[in-house]
Amino acid sequence: MTRYDVLIIGAGPAGTCAALRLLSLGHRVALIESESFPRTQIGESLSPGIRNIFEYIGAAHLLHEDYCLHQLPATIIWNSRTPEVFTGDQRGKGVMVNRSLLDKGLLDLAVVKGLTLYQPAKYQGAHYDGKHWQVRIRQHNVPLLLTATFVMDARGRRGTQVQQRLLTAPPMVGLWAYTDAATMKASTCVEAVTNGWIWGSPLHDGRYRIISFVDPSVLQEQPVTTLFHHMLEHSCLFQPAIQRQGLHDIQTCNILSYAHTRPWHHRWLRLGETAFAIDPLSSTGVEKAMRFSLQAVIAVNTALTTGEEQLAKDFFEGQLISSVVSHTRWTIQYYAQAWPGATHSFWQNRSVIYPREVPPERPFAQQLLKTLQQEQDIAPPSPDRKINIEEALKKLWHGKLYLSPDLSYVRSISVGNDVLEVKTAIHHPNLQREIVYIESTEILPLLAMATDAITFGELVEQWSKVVPHALAARMAVYLWDKQILCEA
């Protein structure tokens, strides 16, 4: 078979995650990968949110293989020069993995689920005829022509050219090497130093990886080895690696944070680091890539099953902008909190929105840049208060209520049964974004039951006829806390 609904290029976590989900929805899927697996791959630290993604795609067992380390404690020097220690439970259920083996496990699982795999195979070019892509590849020195309705490009940084990237942060260079795990604490370590920051963690094979992140200009002033040793010597947590002469094979890599300026074009979609790359500070790169792949699958499934291609494209681009903006905002705030930030340029430059310009013929990039610039004027959201639902209801039960005059209604794209649909969402100044659902329950029909003459107790009782009583109580208190349901 050479005709597919979706052809994926690249077998990293973004590509295989999309493949597994598309196969579960019944689509014909093929994947092209240029390298043989397992391959060398860094990026071993996976954030706690990765677990529910692996469960969702039926790959949870891969996080319990021998190449995974769980519940590692963390030692952090960031806000001040005093180390903070967090236990594995306090950190959340993150995991350190061997990426080469994890990536192979995901790909093997997709093949078992029905994926057609071309590996190793070289992508050589493609042509769009208005409805389908004709993709040329070469496998075992034999040319092949594959046809697909959609192409998902997950080749990583190789899938983007410099002129296609909108940088969202100043570039960095990563300097990294291994030492013996016995040299360091059995802990993930993160430390801010004057000219950058350092990350390190034990690996499953008895090694300990250390990566330092600096501005590229610093490399013009001194050799890589000298700079790397100097940073570790002036650190608190990483001095043991220097003192015992345990470092070897120092390597460098460019670190860029960017978004593709045209992530959806003629049914060619970008995934993973082909679509966007985020600062490594949060260790959520793999999670973000896989989560966005699942959103991209929803868009493609909608286009294939309903024909609503413009709706799918709008959703895809909106989710990409939301992901890039939210991570950029978090990163800026975190860099601003580092103890050297007030006096050192590395930290100052990364504590503000990175100013860029994009040509007007790239409307997606223009919208992303506009949204990023607007973020400078928005105060950071405060965390939701923890409220005792029972106590709050006792106070509110007999009080009359009314809907906030600041409440408005907007049309919004939402997901239902793995396809997109247009719903009415509520908008309010106290909400970080428009919402259609609260805990999977559409909110608009419930708000229609609220009138000036009804009490909170009566409203909860009415809602309890269509949703469980506990959920009705939680929603009422949540909307009261956000001042959407107001006390008369």
Side-chain angles (χ1 to χ4, degrees):
M1 185 172 66
T2 59
R3 299 182 65 89
Y4 304 95
D5 298 319
V6 182
L7 179 63
I8 300 170
I9 309 176
T16 51
C17 179
L20 284 164
R21 189 70 188 107
L22 285 163
L23 289 166
S24 72
L25 292 171
H27 297 294
R28 296 169 298 170
V29 186
L31 189 147
I32 306 165
E33 171 53 48
S34 60
E35 297 183 42
S36 298
F37 278 18
R39 57 176 179 182
T40 301
Q41 186 76 12
I42 63 174
E44 302 94 340
S45 180
L46 305 185
S47 47
I50 204 74
R51 292 181 181 275
N52 61 12
I53 297 177
F54 272 68
E55 290 175 0
Y56 184 67
I57 62 175
H61 61 282
L62 296 178
L63 297 180
H64 297 281
E65 297 289 347
D66 292 341
Y67 52 75
C68 300
L69 294 179
H70 300 270
Q71 297 296 94
L72 285 174
T75 306
I76 298 174
I77 295 178
W78 198 266
N79 299 69
S80 72
R81 300 193 192 199
T82 303
E84 296 182 86
V85 179
F86 299 89
T87 66
D89 290 335
Q90 290 172 318
R91 287 189 65 196
K93 295 183 178 181
V95 56
M96 288 293 299
V97 300
N98 181 313
R99 274 290 307 280
S100 63
L101 296 178
L102 180 68
D103 289 2
K104 184 179 187 303
L106 281 169
L107 183 58
D108 291 345
L109 177 62
V111 171
V112 169
K113 298 292 185 180
L115 174 70
T116 300
L117 177 63
Y118 298 89
Q119 184 191 34
K122 184 178 180 181
Y123 165 77
Q124 295 191 312
H127 170 72
Y128 184 62
D129 64 11
K131 290 185 178 180
H132 301 90
W133 282 99
Q134 309 293 329
V135 180
R136 301 187 309 278
I137 70 171
R138 181 173 289 271
Q139 185 179 35
H140 306 310
N141 209 32
V142 176
L144 297 172
L145 183 66
L146 310 179
T147 301
T149 306
F150 280 88
V151 173
M152 292 179 134
D153 190 340
R155 288 176 289 170
R157 298 171 191 267
R158 293 176 298 173
T160 65
Q161 301 173 0
V162 174
Q163 64 270 25
Q164 296 173 322
R165 297 171 178 171
L166 173 63
L167 293 184
T168 56
M172 294 190 297
V173 173
L175 318 175
W176 54 279
Y178 298 102
T179 188
D180 193 307
T183 303
M184 298 290 296
K185 292 181 178 180
S187 169
T188 294
C189 295
V190 181
E191 181 171 357
V193 295
T194 55
N195 59 342
W197 60 280
I198 312 170
W199 173 93
S201 183
L203 305 177
H204 83 290
D205 58 5
R207 295 181 298 171
Y208 194 101
R209 188 198 295 279
I210 301 175
I211 308 179
S212 64
F213 300 90
V214 297
D215 193 270
S217 61
V218 181
L219 293 179
Q220 301 173 7
E221 304 168 2
Q222 52 190 309
V224 168
T225 301
T226 302
L227 173 60
F228 191 63
H229 282 78
H230 183 268
M231 291 184 71
L232 270 57
E233 286 171 353
H234 288 77
S235 71
C236 173
L237 304 179
F238 295 92
Q239 284 190 21
I242 292 293
Q243 294 168 352
R244 302 187 187 184
Q245 300 294 317
L247 291 173
H248 51 87
D249 298 331
I250 299 174
Q251 302 180 57
T252 66
C253 57
N254 292 319
I255 309 293
L256 299 176
S257 300
Y258 61 84
H260 198 286
T261 56
R262 187 178 284 174
W264 177 310
H265 184 62
H266 294 326
R267 295 184 173 178
W268 187 291
L269 288 67
R270 274 80 184 185
L271 301 181
E273 287 195 332
T274 313
F276 68 108
I278 62 177
D279 194 292
L281 186 60
S282 65
S283 295
T284 60
V286 174
E287 178 189 342
K288 291 280 187 181
M290 295 181 74
R291 197 173 298 281
F292 182 64
S293 288
L294 295 176
Q295 294 164 339
V297 167
I298 293 294
V300 169
N301 185 55
T302 298
L304 288 171
T305 57
T306 71
E308 294 284 353
E309 193 165 330
Q310 187 60 49
L311 180 66
K313 182 174 182 287
D314 291 344
F315 172 80
F316 174 88
E317 293 183 342
Q319 293 299 311
L320 178 53
I321 288 176
S322 177
S323 185
V324 172
V325 169
S326 63
H327 188 271
T328 301
R329 181 176 185 169
W330 177 90
T331 305
I332 286 171
Q333 293 169 0
Y334 206 73
Y335 274 119
Q337 295 169 8
W339 68 264
T343 55
H344 296 277
S345 61
F346 175 89
W347 302 96
Q348 292 172 345
N349 295 338
R350 288 162 178 79
S351 299
V352 295
I353 295 292
Y354 189 52
R356 306 297 294 165
E357 293 184 1
V358 293
E361 64 269 19
R362 300 281 176 155
F364 169 82
Q366 289 282 348
Q367 181 59 43
L368 174 57
L369 186 62
K370 178 181 177 181
T371 308
L372 281 170
Q373 292 168 340
Q374 290 172 342
E375 285 295 299
Q376 297 180 100
D377 304 320
I378 301 175
S382 57
D384 289 336
R385 293 187 296 157
K386 292 185 178 180
I387 301 173
N388 186 306
I389 302 295
E390 185 177 345
E391 291 298 324
L393 275 184
K394 286 181 180 179
K395 172 187 173 183
L396 296 170
W397 193 262
H398 297 291
K400 289 190 175 182
L401 62 86
Y402 66 95
L403 292 177
S404 168
D406 294 324
L407 182 66
S408 59
Y409 303 92
V410 295
R411 303 293 283 173
S412 177
I413 302 174
S414 63
V415 181
N417 296 322
D418 298 313
V419 295
L420 301 170
E421 54 189 356
V422 178
K423 292 276 190 178
T424 300
I426 62 172
H427 172 82
H428 190 274
N430 291 340
L431 296 173
Q432 294 182 33
R433 60 183 183 276
E434 293 86 9
I435 59 173
V436 176
Y437 299 96
I438 298 179
E439 297 190 37
S440 302
T441 299
E442 190 173 356
I443 189 58
L444 185 64
L446 299 182
L447 285 181
M449 301 180 185
T451 66
D452 292 348
I454 200 169
T455 66
F456 277 88
E458 291 170 344
L459 183 63
V460 170
E461 294 299 333
Q462 285 196 23
W463 286 0
S464 297
K465 297 176 182 177
V466 292
V467 299
H469 187 275
L471 175 58
R474 288 197 302 273
M475 289 194 297
V477 173
Y478 171 80
L479 294 171
W480 162 77
D481 181 52
K482 295 298 181 184
Q483 298 179 332
I484 295 170
L485 291 179
C486 304
E487 298 172 80

